[in-house]
Amino acid sequence: QKEVEQNSGPLSVPEGAIASLNCTYSDRGSQSFFWYRQYSGKSPELIMFIYSNGDKEDGRFTAQLNKASQYVSLLIRDSQPSDSATYLCAVIGQAAGNKLTFGGGTRVLVKP
Amino acid sequence: DTEVTQTPKHLVMGMTNKKSLKCEQHMGHRAMYWYKQKAKKPPELMFVYSYEKLSINESVPSRFSPECPNSSLLNLHLHALQPEDSALYLCASSQGGGERTDTQYFGPGTRLTVL
């Protein structure tokens, strides 16, 4: 079992719709959870982080954390073509020596 | 300001060349990182410097040699690389200190091609 798992996609979303991305992790001692966006050929850009159970909203993005079920999700509301990118889930956990462990990424395609 | 800068943006080198990648941050961060990223894969951690000391080396071949001259600068010296080392090399920094909110910010990367 991979430490951090994401569906590789592509997740195809009509413009204006909600994109829902999921990420599961295996280390129950994980403390911090991050979502990065990466455009093709570019570096990862931090979208948001979350470390408490529940929802955290920032503009069109909402991160949701459920530690009991060991998953974190990202919702993108009113999806725009410019949101087309790969979204990387990353986790800081004790099992990995407090290093940042990435999932494989979910590719999102927003179609006009 | 969450800017991490990297130079050069692109680098082409032969297998016998020696080159260096540079990374700089002025956010007062005390942890700096080197990652390697191949196409369609997530970043892979190579090295971590914490308070200017090498704290993590992820069993990286000795043809990659990191250096941290001061708290703002991080270098990666390259020598006798192989074509399979061609990748995007990413530098990142974070406040350090082991806090659970220790967020890493990435530089734009150096696209390395080894011929």
Side-chain angles (χ1 to χ4, degrees), chain A residues 37-67:
Chain A
R37 176 176 64 196
Q38 187 171 27
Y39 293 112
S40 181
K42 302 295 186 182
S43 65
E45 173 192 8
L46 180 71
I47 297 175
M48 56 195 311
F49 64 85
I50 185 169
Y51 51 87
S52 298
N53 273 332
D55 296 0
K56 180 180 179 182
E57 186 174 317
D58 184 358
R60 295 187 295 111
F61 298 97
T62 298
Q64 300 173 318
L65 175 61
N66 185 322
K67 287 188 176 181

Side-chain angles (χ1 to χ4, degrees), chain A residues 31-32 34 36 38 41-44 46 49 51 67 88 92 99-100 102-104, chain B residues 35 37 42-43 45 56 58 88 90 100-109 111:
Chain A
Q31 303 236 7
S32 306
F34 305 85
Y36 288 87
Q38 187 171 27
K42 302 295 186 182
S43 65
L46 180 71
F49 64 85
Y51 51 87
K67 287 188 176 181
L88 296 164
I92 292 181
K99 292 179 287 188
L100 191 63
F102 287 90
Chain B
Y35 288 86
Q37 187 176 25
L45 183 65
I56 295 176
E58 292 288 281
L88 180 67
L90 297 162
R100 64 174 177 170
T101 56
D102 198 22
T103 303
Q104 292 185 28
Y105 297 92
F106 286 83
R111 175 71 60 188

Side-chain angles (χ1 to χ4, degrees), chain B residues 24-26 30 32 52 67-74:
Chain B
E24 189 168 7
Q25 57 88 14
H26 293 289
R30 302 315 300 265
M32 297 185 76
E52 301 167 46
E67 178 195 19
C68 188
N70 60 54
S71 60
S72 300
L73 292 174
L74 186 66

Side-chain angles (χ1 to χ4, degrees), chain A residues 77-104:
Chain A
R77 290 182 299 281
D78 187 24
S79 295
Q80 301 297 309
S82 59
D83 295 324
S84 298
T86 296
Y87 290 79
L88 296 164
C89 172
V91 175
I92 292 181
Q94 293 174 338
N98 289 329
K99 292 179 287 188
L100 191 63
T101 302
F102 287 90

Side-chain angles (χ1 to χ4, degrees), chain B residues 1 8-9 11 17 27 30 42 46 50 57 59 64 66 68 76 78-79 83 92 94 98 101-102 108-109 112 114:
Chain B
D1 183 12
K9 291 184 180 179
L11 178 62
N17 292 158
M27 296 178 278
R30 302 315 300 265
M46 300 175 72
S50 179
N57 176 340
S59 302
F64 296 92
C68 188
L76 185 63
L78 313 172
H79 173 56
S94 69
T101 56
D102 198 22
L112 174 67
V114 182

Side-chain angles (χ1 to χ4, degrees), chain A residues 1-57:
Chain A
Q1 180 187 9
K2 292 182 181 177
E3 294 176 48
V4 181
E5 294 206 52
Q6 297 179 253
N7 188 320
S8 61
L11 176 65
S12 186
V13 179
E15 183 174 359
I18 296 175
S20 178
L21 292 75
N22 293 318
C23 171
T24 58
Y25 59 94
S26 60
D27 178 12
R28 283 198 172 273
S30 297
Q31 303 236 7
S32 306
F33 308 85
F34 305 85
W35 285 100
Y36 288 87
R37 176 176 64 196
Q38 187 171 27
Y39 293 112
S40 181
K42 302 295 186 182
S43 65
E45 173 192 8
L46 180 71
I47 297 175
M48 56 195 311
F49 64 85
I50 185 169
Y51 51 87
S52 298
N53 273 332
D55 296 0
K56 180 180 179 182
E57 186 174 317

